[in-house]
Amino acid sequence: MTVHIDATDFAAIRRGFDADPARSLSLRKEAYVDPAWYAADIDGIIAKSWQWVCHVEKLREPGSYLAIDIAGQPIVAVRDREGVLRAFYNVCKHRAHKLVEGEGRGTRLMCPYHAWVYDLTGQLKRAPETENLKDFDIGEICLDAIQIEEFCGFIYVNLDAKAAPLREQSGDLEVEIKHWAPDIDKLTFAHRLTYDIRSNWKNIVDNFLECYHCPTAHKDFCSLVDMDTYKVTTHGIYSSHMADAGKGANSAYDVSNADVRTHAVWWLWPTTCLMRYPGRSSMIVLNVIPMGPDRTLETYDFYLETPEPNEAEVEAIRYLDEVLQVEDIGLVESVQKGMETRAFQQGRIVHDPEGSGKSEHAVHHFHGLVLNAYERASHG
């Protein structure tokens, strides 16, 4: 669905926002509760940005494929027989049936409805019982291609054919990640956590981008990292969140034998969060998946040195699942309810010019990117 935003709509949703975070209010509540603005999010943000798919290990071998949904659209990502990474709409060109489900490996994509067969470049190779059709040439039929890119050990797709490459859009992010996580492409999948949250997706991103709430809501986390060293820096379409591991015992999980002593986290516009917690070498990927104005799915994928977590990692996963996520989900669901009342319109951005973790300047940066997307939609 194409959503029309006119200049009046944009002026209304931008009211109160200032380019200076020390002067700015947050996004207005309509952006979080109004179905029309949710539709604008899907059409103008999710369908026009680079969306995380998986770690490269899932699509490393020729013939491997993975089916996913992006912005409500069925997508299949594949590695063809020559090793080229490709992505297509997962829709047969005959009668629109979905071609594949889940993940696997093969030499072709065959529709389970009428057995039309496509090779891994998307070209139709076989269409049963079509020999007598007039003006029909299977060589002219191909699946609709989508932009796909391997970036820092992960696979991303973009439904916007005009979008610039992620590597080009993201500035120094690749250099930064590879500095702190040089082995990221060698890690392996170990565990997934999944959550269905009664909140708008932007509330979840807002919450992720500031630690102003941490001393109040995450007392265990504040012993895991040294909050005095917590710094947040915004750049282009991402922000980085860095802190040293706590110096003493903590109430989250044991990091006394940790090889990685830095809490390094990156948020990549609009819905990908990459986390490297203290411990062994690892990367946790939080994928935020909008499902409705007040509903969001989250997946937390843990990529570790080995397929089986060690004892400390089991504790880290338990802490994230049973403590940190319980705290954060309670926060964002309460915020969503509050935004749906008459008592709230928008709030003040709390800004520390030194860029501490307790500042909300990364939230302000995110809101600016959202408004930029809305403004582009108002011109389009």
Side-chain angles (χ1 to χ4, degrees):
M1 175 174 79
T2 300
V3 178
H4 178 66
I5 299 172
D6 62 25
T8 302
D9 295 330
F10 177 68
I13 203 67
R14 195 190 185 283
R15 196 162 63 247
F17 181 84
D18 193 287
D20 181 355
R23 298 178 184 275
S24 188
L25 296 175
S26 65
L27 271 177
R28 298 179 71 80
K29 76 172 188 179
E30 288 84 3
Y32 299 84
V33 303
D34 190 330
W37 285 109
Y38 174 75
D41 287 347
I42 298 302
D43 190 57
I45 297 177
I46 305 303
K48 293 185 181 299
S49 59
W50 287 96
Q51 296 288 308
W52 182 84
V53 175
C54 63
H55 189 276
V56 68
E57 73 172 352
K58 278 193 183 292
L59 295 174
R60 189 169 273 145
E61 299 301 320
S64 53
Y65 67 85
L66 175 67
I68 53 166
D69 281 358
I70 301 290
Q73 302 294 306
I75 308 300
V76 58
V78 304
R79 182 81 69 174
D80 75 16
R81 298 175 74 172
E82 281 68 50
V84 177
L85 198 57
R86 301 179 185 273
F88 309 100
Y89 285 97
N90 188 12
V91 177
C92 183
K93 303 300 283 186
H94 174 223
R95 294 275 295 283
H97 197 282
K98 184 178 284 190
L99 293 168
V100 293
E101 300 274 2
E103 60 187 87
R105 191 174 174 193
T107 58
R108 62 183 185 172
L109 302 172
M110 187 177 80
C111 180
Y113 195 7
H114 299 100
W116 281 34
V117 175
Y118 304 81
D119 68 18
L120 299 182
T121 72
Q123 176 64 52
L124 181 64
K125 304 302 288 186
R126 181 173 177 269
E129 315 300 333
T130 57
E131 295 83 0
N132 298 318
L133 297 185
K134 297 176 181 178
D135 302 319
F136 178 79
D137 181 359
I138 65 171
E140 295 178 352
I141 298 175
C142 202
L143 298 176
D144 289 358
I146 293 163
Q147 288 208 73
I148 187 166
E149 188 172 338
E150 183 178 332
F151 179 79
C152 286
F154 295 103
I155 307 297
Y156 295 82
V157 297
N158 195 321
L159 304 187
D160 182 3
K162 298 178 181 177
L166 178 55
R167 189 165 275 103
E168 179 182 312
Q169 288 190 35
S170 59
D172 293 331
L173 179 59
E174 182 173 26
V175 172
E176 204 172 311
I177 290 177
K178 288 188 174 178
H179 170 76
W180 292 105
D183 60 346
I184 188 169
D185 60 332
K186 298 180 178 64
L187 299 175
T188 189
F189 175 77
H191 193 74
R192 168 171 280 193
L193 299 172
T194 304
Y195 305 94
D196 193 335
I197 302 171
R198 296 184 298 277
S199 177
N200 185 272
W201 71 277
K202 295 187 295 299
N203 267 329
I204 290 168
V205 174
D206 287 348
N207 182 69
F208 183 87
L209 291 177
E210 51 91 354
C211 220
Y212 183 38
H213 69 282
C214 293
T216 307
H218 300 317
K219 291 183 167 39
D220 298 305
F221 179 81
C222 290
S223 65
L224 175 65
V225 303
D226 181 354
M227 289 299 295
D228 291 337
T229 67
Y230 204 125
K231 295 292 181 185
V232 179
T233 311
T234 61
H235 323 253
I237 63 164
Y238 76 96
S239 57
S240 56
H241 307 244
M242 302 288 175
D244 295 337
K247 296 181 175 65
N250 73 81
S251 53
Y253 62 92
D254 183 19
V255 294
S256 57
N257 296 316
D259 298 320
V260 174
R261 302 294 303 173
T262 302
H263 171 78
V265 173
W266 298 270
W267 167 77
L268 174 60
W269 164 262
T271 52
T272 306
C273 308
L274 307 170
M275 297 170 274
R276 190 169 169 90
Y277 279 15
R280 273 202 307 178
S281 182
S282 66
M283 188 62 75
I284 308 167
V285 181
L286 162 58
N287 189 29
V288 178
I289 307 167
M291 297 298 290
D294 58 356
R295 182 179 175 224
T296 305
L297 296 182
E298 284 185 347
T299 59
Y300 274 82
D301 284 356
F302 293 78
Y303 297 93
L304 307 175
E305 293 181 15
T306 57
E308 293 297 326
N310 65 20
E311 185 176 345
E313 288 161 348
V314 168
E315 274 302 295
I317 292 169
R318 182 205 59 78
Y319 162 70
L320 198 152
D321 184 35
E322 298 180 10
V323 180
L324 193 61
Q325 274 296 95
V326 172
E327 293 167 344
D328 274 332
I329 290 171
L331 294 172
V332 298
E333 290 189 341
S334 177
V335 167
Q336 186 70 30
K337 289 178 181 177
M339 285 184 167
E340 291 166 356
T341 69
R342 300 175 182 177
F344 184 82
Q345 185 58 61
Q346 62 193 140
R348 190 66 186 252
I349 293 291
V350 175
H351 178 237
D352 171 12
E354 298 299 315
S356 78
K358 296 178 185 177
S359 173
E360 294 179 321
H361 60 286
V363 177
H364 175 265
H365 172 243
F366 168 52
H367 292 180
L369 291 172
V370 170
L371 289 171
N372 288 344
Y374 289 166
E375 184 174 26
R376 286 192 297 272
S378 73
H379 294 322

